[in-house]
Amino acid sequence: MNVNSEDVHRNIEIKAKIRDYDKIMAGVQAMCSSHGEVMKQEDVFFNVPNGRLKLRKRSDYSVYELIYYERPDTEGPKLSLYSKCNIPHGEDLLNVLAMSLGVKGIVKKTRHLFLIEHTRIHVDDVEGLGKYFEIEVCLTKDQTPEDGEKIAEIIMEKLGIHHSDLVTGAYLDHLPKSSQPTEV
């Protein structure tokens, strides 16, 4: 199977546990000159042999997003390859994917989204986990992963995010297994 390279996007990501929520929010709002966009999201992850596959439902959005991504489960800035598409009848696809692949787990969160040029900053309150901070530096075709890492490091420094605050993996990896549903 051939994958169209135009359908695969790249970004540099970091994820960190938040120590001081008010300080981070004030810093991000000042940096972005915005209060951001607030949304509730529910991500249903499916069992797949490679990478991660999730169907995202936003409470403020009638269309679901099917998102596939690959990235190493390491601390610090890391390259993520992803592809996504909008699904108008997400409930139907959710049932098909759950039946055919099985549900790996569900992550529910309230997300504050901020934008700085090609960078998305998320301040997340994840049900069952707490508050986290994410940076996604969306790379242009001309940018290298190292360019994105520099941008992420600058933002981390400006906001006082320490390398000791960084976490690996996805939110799903940190939720207690006992709290994860086996079906939707």
Side-chain angles (χ1 to χ4, degrees), residues 118-133:
H118 297 289
T119 301
R120 298 167 56 91
I121 296 176
H122 306 147
V123 179
D124 293 335
D125 187 358
V126 183
E127 193 174 295
L129 277 185
K131 294 178 174 45
Y132 286 81
F133 174 84

Side-chain angles (χ1 to χ4, degrees), residues 147-167:
D147 295 332
E149 288 173 13
K150 287 177 190 170
I151 293 168
E153 293 281 353
I154 289 168
I155 293 171
M156 287 173 56
E157 186 178 321
K158 285 183 178 179
L159 294 173
I161 304 279
H162 304 283
H163 281 271
S164 60
D165 298 327
L166 299 179
V167 296

Side-chain angles (χ1 to χ4, degrees), residues 28-150:
V28 173
Q29 289 172 345
M31 196 183 241
C32 298
S33 302
S34 155
H35 290 289
E37 177 185 353
V38 179
M39 61 191 84
K40 292 199 178 288
Q41 296 178 338
E42 181 175 297
D43 293 340
V44 179
F45 286 81
F46 301 97
N47 297 308
V48 292
N50 301 306
R52 298 177 193 273
L53 180 67
K54 64 184 175 184
L55 187 63
R56 171 172 289 163
K57 178 182 179 185
R58 286 180 26 181
S59 61
D60 61 335
Y61 199 59
S62 61
V63 176
Y64 288 62
E65 286 180 299
L66 184 64
I67 304 166
Y68 172 79
Y69 65 96
E70 293 179 2
R71 75 166 178 253
D73 289 333
T74 57
E75 290 179 354
K78 56 198 146 281
L79 179 65
S80 177
L81 303 175
Y82 67 97
S83 186
K84 61 183 180 176
C85 65
N86 291 331
I87 307 293
H89 302 287
E91 300 86 4
D92 297 337
L93 181 60
L94 175 61
N95 291 331
V96 170
L97 291 173
M99 289 174 62
S100 62
L101 300 173
V103 173
K104 188 172 186 176
I106 300 173
V107 174
K108 297 178 182 180
K109 62 185 172 286
T110 301
R111 168 165 283 175
H112 286 80
L113 168 65
F114 300 89
L115 300 172
I116 302 174
E117 296 180 15
H118 297 289
T119 301
R120 298 167 56 91
I121 296 176
H122 306 147
V123 179
D124 293 335
D125 187 358
V126 183
E127 193 174 295
L129 277 185
K131 294 178 174 45
Y132 286 81
F133 174 84
E134 286 185 341
I135 299 171
E136 294 178 352
V137 181
C138 299
L139 299 174
T140 65
K141 291 181 183 194
D142 298 332
Q143 287 179 304
T144 66
E146 292 77 20
D147 295 332
E149 288 173 13
K150 287 177 190 170

